Amino acid sequence: MNYKYMMILTLLSILLSGCASEENREGAGSVSDGESSSENSALEHGVKDQKQDQAQSDVGFEMAGTEIEEAQNVPADEKKAILASFNTYMTSFNEEDIEEYMSIIATEPEGFDYNEEEATVVKTFKEYDVKRTAEDVTVIKYDENQAQVFASLAISLEQVSTGAKLDRTGRQVTVFAKEEGDWRVSSVYFIGDAAE
């Protein structure tokens, strides 16, 4: 039974973090790089700890601690557009609307391959019932070409064929890139909370 849960957790991690190509593994949100899947390592290796060096950090939150600061330089209309894109990203996934979900994914993402993401999502929707809910949704970094959105996630996963269930919580930073005037998901960094 433990193996089955690890398989589900690994699939969920891949779905949340995307599938990085070989040349994109450094700092990307991939979980398919062969690291051991101990408690959180498969989920947290793509997230950079800001305590290392603020100038080198790509992701706008620390791996430890709970204080999240909202970016102060976000124009009101851009904030509204970014949060609307995040909402579409979440709701289209929960509604298993592949076309809408893929419309919010960057065509040239930094953290995964667009076609692999589509194939993974199609397979996931076929094999699993997954619901994600987000709280504390906050734009934490912004410039005119990129925005980072923090959210506390609760994920409920059920395998259709077996009825096996897994509930997981964690923190995620979704990185959006501006493409053709729209904010689209370019990479995802997720760290799961410790299991109780």
Side-chain angles (χ1 to χ4, degrees):
M1 195 65 156
N2 192 17
Y3 174 76
K4 196 180 296 185
Y5 282 119
M6 290 304 293
M7 180 184 73
I8 291 170
L9 181 59
T10 300
L11 178 61
L12 178 61
S13 300
I14 290 170
L15 177 65
L16 290 171
S17 300
C19 300
S21 60
E22 288 296 323
E23 66 274 7
N24 234 354
R25 290 189 192 268
E26 186 176 303
S30 170
V31 295
S32 58
D33 64 0
E35 287 186 5
S36 66
S37 58
S38 63
E39 187 65 39
N40 284 323
S41 66
L43 294 173
E44 54 187 56
H45 80 272
V47 180
K48 294 185 177 182
D49 187 345
Q50 284 196 347
K51 292 178 182 174
Q52 296 171 352
D53 183 343
Q54 289 291 334
Q56 295 177 0
S57 179
D58 293 333
V59 178
F61 76 98
E62 294 181 13
M63 292 178 61
T66 58
E67 193 171 317
I68 301 300
E69 292 185 25
E70 184 172 16
Q72 299 300 309
N73 65 330
V74 188
D77 58 335
E78 290 287 22
K79 181 178 177 180
K80 184 177 179 180
I82 293 163
L83 294 177
S85 291
F86 181 81
N87 187 52
T88 299
Y89 167 69
M90 294 294 290
T91 57
S92 62
F93 184 89
N94 286 339
E95 294 170 0
E96 299 186 3
D97 185 338
I98 294 167
E99 186 175 326
E100 183 76 9
Y101 179 81
M102 293 310 296
S103 76
I104 205 70
I105 302 298
T107 56
E108 296 182 25
E110 293 180 10
F112 50 89
D113 177 86
Y114 181 90
N115 293 324
E116 288 178 11
E117 176 72 0
E118 184 173 28
T120 300
V121 170
V122 167
K123 183 176 181 180
T124 299
F125 290 167
K126 182 177 179 182
E127 297 178 8
Y128 299 92
D129 286 329
V130 185
K131 294 296 179 212
R132 303 183 300 178
T133 55
E135 294 181 351
D136 307 319
V137 179
T138 308
V139 179
I140 56 173
K141 283 194 178 181
Y142 169 82
D143 68 40
E144 62 186 26
N145 297 313
Q146 186 187 84
Q148 297 181 14
V149 176
F150 169 86
S152 297
L153 291 186
I155 303 155
S156 176
L157 177 77
E158 181 175 353
Q159 188 173 30
V160 174
S161 62
T162 65
K165 295 181 182 181
L166 178 67
D167 292 320
R168 186 79 170 156
T169 59
R171 297 173 292 155
Q172 178 172 305
V173 171
T174 308
V175 180
F176 289 86
K178 197 104 179 229
E179 279 190 354
E180 301 172 8
D182 295 322
W183 290 103
R184 296 184 180 158
V185 177
S186 181
S187 58
V188 175
Y189 297 83
F190 179 85
I191 181 169
D193 294 334
E196 294 181 9

